[in-house]
Amino acid sequence: MIDVTEQINAVRRQVGKRVLEAGEARTVTISQTYDAAIDDVWDACTNPERIPRWFLPVSGDLRLGGRYQLQGNAGGQIERCDPPKSFAATWEYGGNISWIEVRLMTEPEGGTRFELEHIAHVDEQWAEFGPGAVGIGWDLGFMGLAVHLSSGHANDPQESAAWAASDQGRQFMSLSSRRWCDASIAAGTNEADAQAAADRTTAAYTATAPDESGS
């Protein structure tokens, strides 16, 4: 059983900016330290047999220059790979393209810090939903990895769907949305705009109506 508050507090979240050739972009960075060796975390993130145990089934050629496809989600091309420290890939979904960069670091006090940065062009989705649109999904992935690395438990899609629809699942997504809202405000977003975007994101993930009062 996952401790929702403990997992939410174990993750660091940051929102930033980048300038790409095609224009302004936003960055969403999420990180967590796991009680596991760097080689084990790397294998969990790159081995096609292990990725479905905590994330989604994946197909394709998981090596430099190869293309991958996550079942029912994004696909893309692996652009950089430096095992067991980092890799970068395109993240192509719904006709849009963004980028992910994964970085692993051995912590001095033990364990491995797993950091993921998602870079996307500023668009209507960002304006409407803010960083939580992708941030909540990554929070769920980081939680899945925490469970897998600590217990060896393999993800059961039906169990995951039932949990996401439960009170605990909705609490987790609501808390994640709140934390991404805080990160957005810390990055300079107007507080009212950040909260409105977070309300829409929370509603989308938890299938509830947003609070029209703005509270």
Side-chain angles (χ1 to χ4, degrees):
M1 182 68 70
I2 191 73
D3 185 319
V4 167
T5 302
E6 181 179 340
Q7 175 59 30
I8 288 291
N9 290 338
V11 170
R12 296 179 184 174
R13 303 165 188 83
Q14 186 173 10
V15 176
K17 296 179 180 180
R18 277 198 190 185
V19 177
L20 304 178
E21 290 184 7
E24 186 180 6
R26 291 288 187 270
T27 63
V28 169
T29 305
I30 178 170
S31 62
Q32 180 172 353
T33 296
Y34 297 103
D35 186 17
I38 191 170
D39 288 335
D40 187 31
V41 180
W42 176 264
D43 187 67
C45 297
T46 60
N47 185 333
E49 294 183 359
R50 286 188 72 182
I51 293 171
R53 299 178 192 173
W54 63 274
F55 197 48
L56 291 168
V58 63
S59 59
D61 188 11
L62 301 190
R63 60 180 177 179
L64 184 62
R67 292 194 64 83
Y68 71 92
Q69 180 62 54
L70 293 163
Q71 183 175 301
N73 205 291
Q77 183 172 11
I78 299 168
E79 297 186 323
R80 296 200 313 273
C81 188
D82 180 22
K85 297 179 180 179
S86 66
F87 69 84
T90 62
W91 186 264
E92 303 167 26
Y93 183 75
N96 296 319
I97 181 170
S98 54
W99 299 264
I100 59 169
E101 297 181 4
V102 169
R103 298 179 282 269
L104 302 183
M105 295 151 279
T106 298
E107 293 283 55
E109 63 272 21
T112 301
R113 173 157 291 276
F114 174 27
E115 181 176 274
L116 183 145
E117 185 175 14
H118 194 150
I119 305 116
H121 289 294
V122 177
D123 57 13
E124 293 180 0
Q125 177 174 296
W126 180 275
E128 184 174 2
F129 295 105
V134 296
I136 295 175
W138 289 124
D139 255 311
L140 289 166
F142 272 53
M143 177 188 66
L145 183 57
V147 172
H148 173 62
L149 290 173
S150 64
S151 68
H153 176 76
N155 176 55
D156 182 304
Q158 292 184 335
E159 288 182 4
S160 296
W163 182 85
S166 70
D167 289 343
Q168 188 182 50
R170 288 193 293 269
Q171 178 195 18
F172 181 89
M173 290 182 280
S174 296
L175 288 172
S176 170
S177 182
R178 176 66 253 177
R179 295 298 179 87
W180 283 112
C181 177
D182 292 342
S184 184
I185 294 169
T189 305
N190 174 272
E191 185 172 349
D193 292 341
Q195 185 60 62
D199 288 345
R200 289 188 286 267
T201 301
T202 302
Y205 271 93
T206 62
T208 60
D211 184 352
E212 298 297 338
S213 69
S215 61

